[in-house]
Amino acid sequence: MSESYLKDLLWRGRQVEFDHGMKRYVVKLVDYAFKSEYAFGEKYGRKTTSDYFEGILYLRDYGYSLSELLRCVDSSRIYIY
């Protein structure tokens, strides 16, 4: 999945989940009354938030950055809600 397609999905209110190894990761855009934040992390674990998409795209909190994970994940293991 390309980074621009992911960003477009998030702006349209979608949530994207994908499996890598034995973990499921979630990427979503959280809207508050006064601002929006991008969130990325393990489905049932901690999540990293940022005001900017690039803030979660290149951060290496989980061993891999979101950018690297998107390149190596098989498209059949990506779920869009």
Side-chain angles (χ1 to χ4, degrees), residues 41-59:
E42 296 175 10
K43 179 152 179 138
Y44 298 110
R46 63 187 177 98
K47 293 181 182 50
T48 303
T49 61
S50 175
D51 293 340
Y52 303 100
F53 183 67
E54 290 75 18
I56 63 166
L57 192 60
Y58 300 113
L59 191 66

Side-chain angles (χ1 to χ4, degrees), residues 15-73:
Q15 176 175 309
V16 178
E17 297 182 6
F18 59 90
D19 297 329
H20 183 263
M22 297 299 292
K23 296 180 182 177
R24 179 164 286 196
Y25 294 94
V26 177
V27 186
K28 60 184 172 180
L29 182 65
V30 182
D31 287 319
Y32 297 107
F34 54 93
K35 71 175 187 173
S36 298
E37 283 186 337
Y38 292 94
F40 165 62
E42 296 175 10
K43 179 152 179 138
Y44 298 110
R46 63 187 177 98
K47 293 181 182 50
T48 303
T49 61
S50 175
D51 293 340
Y52 303 100
F53 183 67
E54 290 75 18
I56 63 166
L57 192 60
Y58 300 113
L59 191 66
R60 292 180 164 266
D61 277 357
Y62 303 97
Y64 295 97
S65 68
L66 176 58
S67 176
E68 293 170 335
L69 288 172
L70 289 174
R71 279 186 253 133
C72 69
V73 169

